[in-house]
């Protein structure tokens, strides 16, 4: 079966402002996110790609555009099932304001039971994303063969949940996974099992440097819902 190359969207204006964007329209890449998107074609230059499958949200569409510009004729497919988690009433709110909500502890420690008010459950989010990948694997293989590779551009929690599925991890453990903006995660699917061959690869190790006490370091003791802003 094909190799799935998962790309998280580049850093967005919501990431840098500490807002849980969710499906709020009009959330674009910031200056750094745009530069990350411009660098993506070179990072993937050695990989023949069969297609690009993309979340409908603006920040994902902007992330893949330089790749499409660099490879004329590469087909783009929009896939609603890999859109961001529907955070419902939490969408558009500051993460700092949500940190004291009782639900946030559930999201961190027992996400398989978490459901956002007016939105969807994290279990439902994972199920639709996994279904989308299974469908696209079959579609890509039928059209391009079992050795094909394709890009899927999505969001932090979606990608983490797909990695958890590939590793056979319970969703309650998925907050242990980290994927930075515009990172590349690759999963090679076979008849019997998937193999995780890259995880959150940005080619930049600045994020491993010690952080200052307090501020962003304190805020990142728990997994950032929706995905963090990446290395400073």
């Amino acid at each position: 079966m094909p190799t799935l190359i998962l790309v998280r969207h580049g850093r967005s204006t919501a990431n840098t402002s500490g807002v849980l964007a969710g499906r709020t329209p009009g959330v674009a890449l910031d200056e750094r996110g745009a530069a990350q998107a411009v660098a993506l074609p070179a990072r993937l230059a050695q990989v023949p790609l069969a297609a690009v499958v993309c979340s409908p949200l603006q920040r994902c569409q902007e992330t893949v555009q330089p790749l499409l510009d660099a490879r004329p004729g590469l087909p783009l497919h929009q896939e609603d099932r890999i859109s961001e988690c529907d955070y419902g009433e939490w969408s558009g709110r500051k993460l700092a304001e949500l940190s004291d909500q009782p639900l946030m502890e559930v999201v961190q420690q027992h996400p398989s039971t978490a459901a956002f008010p007016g939105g969807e459950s994290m279990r439902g989010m994972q199920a639709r994303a996994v279904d989308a990948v299974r469908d696209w694997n079959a579609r890509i293989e039928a059209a391009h063969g079992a050795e094909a590779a394709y890009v899927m551009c999505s969001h932090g929690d979606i990608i983490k949940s797909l990695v958890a599925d590939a590793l056979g991890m319970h969703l309650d453990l998925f907050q242990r996974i980290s994927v930075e903006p515009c990172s590349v995660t690759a999963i090679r699917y076979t008849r019997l099992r998937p193999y995780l061959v890259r995880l959150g690869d940005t080619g930049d190790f600045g994020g491993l440097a010690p952080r200052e006490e307090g501020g962003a370091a304190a805020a990142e003791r728990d997994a950032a819902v929706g995905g963090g802003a990446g290395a400073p």
Side-chain angles (χ1 to χ4, degrees), residues 215-227:
E220 292 178 8
R221 289 189 185 116
D222 281 329
V225 181

Side-chain angles (χ1 to χ4, degrees), residues 40-55:
L40 185 62
R43 293 169 61 199
L44 297 177
Q46 298 182 57
V47 185
L49 296 174
V52 173
V53 181
C54 191
S55 159

Side-chain angles (χ1 to χ4, degrees), residues 2-222:
T3 296
L4 170 64
I5 300 173
L6 290 160
V7 176
R8 185 184 166 199
H9 62 78
R11 196 175 75 176
S12 72
T13 54
N15 292 145
T16 46
S17 60
V19 169
L20 184 60
R23 298 179 180 179
T24 305
V27 177
L29 299 182
D30 68 6
E31 184 176 353
R32 179 170 180 173
Q36 290 171 333
V38 168
L40 185 62
R43 293 169 61 199
L44 297 177
Q46 298 182 57
V47 185
L49 296 174
V52 173
V53 181
C54 191
S55 159
L57 295 182
Q58 179 179 338
R59 54 196 183 273
C60 287
Q61 300 283 334
E62 290 178 350
T63 298
V64 300
Q65 192 57 55
L67 180 61
L68 297 170
D69 292 342
R71 301 198 190 195
L74 182 63
L76 171 66
H77 305 277
Q78 182 171 299
E79 175 54 76
D80 292 344
R81 291 175 295 177
I82 60 167
S83 186
E84 180 64 284
C85 184
D86 183 356
Y87 298 116
E89 296 171 15
W90 280 25
S91 300
R93 295 181 61 184
K94 288 277 191 179
L95 285 165
E97 298 172 358
L98 296 169
S99 61
D100 293 331
Q101 295 287 324
L103 177 60
M104 183 61 85
E105 185 177 14
V106 180
V107 169
Q108 294 293 334
Q109 303 297 334
H110 198 11
S112 66
T113 68
F116 296 96
E120 70 178 329
S121 69
M122 302 200 84
R123 186 163 45 87
M125 173 201 73
Q126 183 188 42
R128 63 173 166 84
V130 169
D131 284 347
V133 166
R134 298 292 189 270
D135 290 348
W136 278 102
N137 281 350
R139 183 171 173 177
I140 295 295
E141 181 174 3
H144 302 280
E147 298 304 314
Y150 69 107
V151 164
M152 182 174 279
C153 185
S154 188
H155 307 268
D157 282 348
I158 295 286
I159 293 172
K160 287 162 57 177
S161 72
L162 290 169
V163 170
D165 172 75
L167 292 175
M169 290 171 55
H170 197 282
L171 184 62
D172 285 344
L173 301 178
F174 99 128
Q175 298 290 27
R176 301 182 183 194
I177 299 166
S178 176
V179 289
E180 291 196 358
C182 220
S183 62
V184 172
T185 294
I187 302 171
R188 181 170 295 125
Y189 289 85
T190 73
R191 186 174 65 87
L192 296 180
R193 64 179 65 87
Y195 293 90
L196 179 66
V197 293
R198 294 287 190 280
L199 175 61
D201 189 343
T202 63
D204 176 5
F205 295 101
L208 301 180
R211 305 287 183 91
E212 294 181 4
E213 291 298 322
E220 292 178 8
R221 289 189 185 116
D222 281 329

